[in-house]
Amino acid sequence: MDYKTLKSIIEGLLFLSGDEGLSARQIAEITEQRPDLATRALEELKDDCISQERGLQVVQIAGNYRLATLPDHAPYFERLAYSPSRSSLSQAALETLAIVAYRQPITRVEIEEIRGVKSERAIHTLNNKDLIHEVGRAEAVGRPILYGTTKSFLDSFGLASLKELPEPSSFDTSDSLEEETQLLFNKLDSQLTFDDVEQP
C-alpha cells in the first residue's frame, strides 16, 4: 500500500481502538508493515493534526497511541454532554442499561461478557446521565465496581420501583438481551411527554 493510504488506515484504527489505543507494534502487525514505518506514519499523522488545526490530536499514553480531543475545546464538549436535547440513548447505551437494570448489581466485565463487546463508553455515558451508579464492590480479584440503576432511572422510565420493570418471557434464551433492550426501549418510548414532541 502507498504511504498516504497507510496513514489513513492508521487514523481509522486509532478511531476504532477508542480509549485503549494501539501500540506502534500492534499497528505494524495489523497493517503488515515494518515497525519503524508504522511509527513514522503515526508521528506524521500526529504532526498533520497539529499543522492542519484539526479537531482531534494523536496522543501517546503508556506506550499506546490514540485519538483525543483538544483541551481548548472542552467547554463545548461539556455543553454537548449536558444538553437537554441529548436525552436519547444510543443502542449500545440502551443495551448496557437493560443489562444493568435486569441483572444488577453487576460488574463491567459481566456486562461485556453478556454484550460481547467493550462497554466502558456506554457505562460512562449512563453514569453521566445519572441512570446508573456505583453500588459497591464485588468480592472478587481486584474488587471490581458493581453497578446498579439510580432513582433518576426510575423517574425516566416512569417506574415506582424495579419490580415494575417489564417482565421478559425468559432469561434463558439467546436473544434475552435483545428482548430486554426492546422492553426497556418501549417503556422509555411510552414516557414521551408533549414537551418532547415538536409543537406545530
Side-chain angles (χ1 to χ4, degrees):
M1 73 177 73
D2 62 69
Y3 193 63
K4 186 177 179 182
T5 301
L6 175 61
K7 284 205 296 184
S8 178
I9 291 169
I10 290 173
E11 186 172 12
L13 289 171
L14 293 180
F15 174 78
L16 287 174
S17 68
D19 292 339
E20 290 189 6
L22 293 167
S23 67
R25 185 174 184 174
Q26 286 174 304
I27 289 172
E29 288 174 2
I30 293 167
T31 57
E32 298 179 327
Q33 302 295 322
R34 297 190 322 272
D36 63 311
L37 185 62
T39 301
R40 195 176 92 203
L42 275 162
E43 291 299 327
E44 280 193 25
L45 183 60
K46 189 175 180 179
D47 293 340
D48 290 346
C49 289
I50 296 169
S51 64
Q52 295 169 16
E53 297 182 352
R54 288 159 66 173
L56 294 172
Q57 60 179 331
V58 176
V59 295
Q60 189 176 12
I61 299 174
N64 281 5
Y65 291 85
R66 68 184 194 185
L67 290 176
T69 54
L70 303 178
D72 291 348
H73 298 170
Y76 302 98
F77 304 142
E78 287 174 14
R79 285 183 209 168
L80 173 65
Y82 296 107
S83 169
S85 63
R86 293 285 296 174
S87 58
S88 61
L89 294 173
S90 67
Q91 182 68 20
L94 195 58
E95 281 181 7
T96 303
L97 183 57
I99 292 167
V100 175
Y102 283 99
R103 317 287 175 97
Q104 63 186 305
I106 190 168
T107 66
R108 177 180 59 81
V109 171
E110 290 170 330
I111 292 169
E112 291 173 349
E113 283 175 358
I114 294 169
R115 289 194 66 221
V117 292
K118 294 229 174 259
S119 301
E120 269 184 39
R121 190 167 294 180
I123 289 170
H124 182 68
T125 298
L126 295 171
N127 231 331
N128 282 345
K129 289 181 181 290
D130 194 30
L131 292 172
I132 65 171
H133 65 153
E134 297 178 17
V135 296
R137 296 272 179 172
E139 294 294 333
V141 178
R143 305 266 297 157
I145 295 167
L146 288 166
Y147 293 97
T149 52
T150 63
K151 185 181 181 301
S152 293
F153 164 80
L154 296 175
D155 293 342
S156 297
F157 286 84
L159 301 169
S161 72
L162 292 173
K163 292 177 182 176
E164 292 188 3
L165 276 170
E167 196 69 37
S169 59
S170 170
F171 281 107
D172 298 325
T173 58
S174 60
D175 59 352
S176 62
L177 172 57
E178 186 177 336
E179 184 180 0
E180 291 159 20
T181 304
Q182 190 58 47
L183 286 167
L184 216 54
F185 178 80
N186 291 343
K187 188 70 178 170
L188 178 62
D189 202 37
S190 70
Q191 296 307 313
L192 284 173
T193 65
F194 287 110
D195 294 333
D196 298 313
V197 181
E198 187 177 344
Q199 300 297 315

